[in-house]
Amino acid sequence: MIITLTPNPSLDRALEVDRLQVGEVNRAHGGHLHPGGKGINVSRVLVRHGVPTLAVLPTGGADGARLVEMLAEIDVPTLAVPLVDHTRSNLTLVEGTGVTTKVNAPGPKLTPGEVDALLSALETQLAAQPGALVCAGSLPLGAPETFFVQVAGLAARYGVPFILDTSGPPLTRAVRQGGLTLVKPNDEELAELVGRELSTVGDVVGAAREVIAAGTRAVLVSLGAHGAMLVLAEGVWWAGGPPLVPLSTVGAGDSTLAGFLTADGSPGDRLRTAVAFGRAAVLLPGTAVPDPTDIDLDAVRVVESPDPRLALKEL
């Protein structure tokens, strides 16, 4: 069982346009409505691939109720913690070229009591000793920057591996505290975390090793079209494949993380699976998640200890 926590979920509305013209009337020729939120996306992928999961999330209002209904329709088990304020809706505009523009709403403002209720609900699940806890996405208004530090403490109390996919000050606070099993930043988030530009493989590896030195077991770095890198104290692996023409990049990083969690074997094998899941996701519309038949492991190449002098764009 893998528990996911999405502190600030949403209903994701995606509209397809030929070309987005800013300041003009744009007419969509298609649209999709999906449950949104990074942790929810991870649970959706896990369900598609037969991995037991439970999505923990705060919900409120009509959109919150609809979100829970939609997750039930696709067989994603949920534990919804009620809010007074309303669950947010996000909008994604997808152009025919694959360029994606997202507009994310701020979401509800949680009261201190609602934050405590969310942590209490999560602790009840952790006490049952799940295989892992994945916390992913932004924090809602009202949640402190130390929220993920508190969650990490709960996971440690029950001996549950803790995977974190977030950004900004909440990521910095959690990494500095240490005790994380894995973090999954993209290259821009990792650069922000260490406070410098990352242009080469060596830059990324050096930054990831700083995170490991602070007390995190592993760093899985999404590099967008250039694949992904896995950094452990004992080694470095890169994986990628031939160029793709994406339909939508929304949720691809979440599929990458889910793929890593579903895989067994060596670090290189797990990274290969992660990248294959991410590549499959970008070929699907909106925030649709890949089925087992979409995964092409043979298209992914894995390199152990890649040349640190290589620019990321050369991967």
Side-chain angles (χ1 to χ4, degrees), residues 107-271:
K109 183 174 183 179
L110 275 61
T111 66
E114 289 169 339
V115 173
D116 290 343
L118 183 59
L119 290 171
S120 178
L122 179 64
E123 183 172 8
T124 300
Q125 299 304 315
L126 293 175
Q129 300 289 306
L133 168 64
V134 177
C135 287
S138 62
L139 290 179
L141 299 173
E145 286 185 358
T146 57
F147 180 83
F148 292 125
V149 174
Q150 295 174 265
V151 172
L154 292 176
R157 180 182 304 171
Y158 295 99
V160 177
F162 179 42
I163 295 97
L164 180 61
D165 183 3
T166 189
S167 60
L171 175 61
T172 301
R173 291 289 193 105
V175 166
R176 287 177 178 172
Q177 185 70 23
L180 311 179
T181 304
L182 181 142
V183 294
K184 199 211 73 62
N186 60 33
D187 52 338
E188 293 180 356
E189 291 164 346
L190 183 59
E192 181 183 5
L193 179 61
V194 299
R196 62 180 182 274
E197 185 177 351
L198 307 177
S199 301
T200 67
V201 169
D203 292 339
V204 172
V205 173
R209 283 183 169 151
E210 287 183 26
V211 174
I212 291 171
T216 292
R217 172 77 180 87
V219 183
L220 175 60
V221 188
S222 295
L223 302 173
H226 307 302
M229 196 174 299
L230 176 64
V231 182
L232 304 170
E234 57 267 33
V236 179
W237 294 260
W238 169 84
L244 297 173
V245 178
L247 281 179
S248 172
T249 59
V250 178
D254 307 324
S255 290
T256 298
L257 178 55
F260 187 84
L261 295 171
T262 67
D264 294 315
S266 68
D269 290 338
R270 297 189 72 182
L271 182 61

Side-chain angles (χ1 to χ4, degrees), residues 50-71:
V51 178
T53 185
L54 174 70
V56 179
L57 60 154
T59 61
D63 279 352
R66 180 62 182 133
L67 174 60
V68 173
E69 290 173 359
M70 293 185 71
L71 289 170

Side-chain angles (χ1 to χ4, degrees), residues 228 238-242 271-272 275 297-303 314-315:
W238 169 84
L271 182 61
R272 183 194 304 276
V275 170
L297 292 174
D298 293 336
V300 180
R301 181 170 61 97
V302 178
V303 176
E314 295 174 331
L315 289 171

Side-chain angles (χ1 to χ4, degrees), residues 47-89:
V47 165
R48 286 284 183 92
H49 293 263
V51 178
T53 185
L54 174 70
V56 179
L57 60 154
T59 61
D63 279 352
R66 180 62 182 133
L67 174 60
V68 173
E69 290 173 359
M70 293 185 71
L71 289 170
E73 289 166 2
I74 55 176
D75 299 321
V76 175
T78 62
L79 174 57
V81 178
L83 302 177
V84 173
D85 208 346
H86 288 222
T87 298
R88 63 179 176 160
S89 289

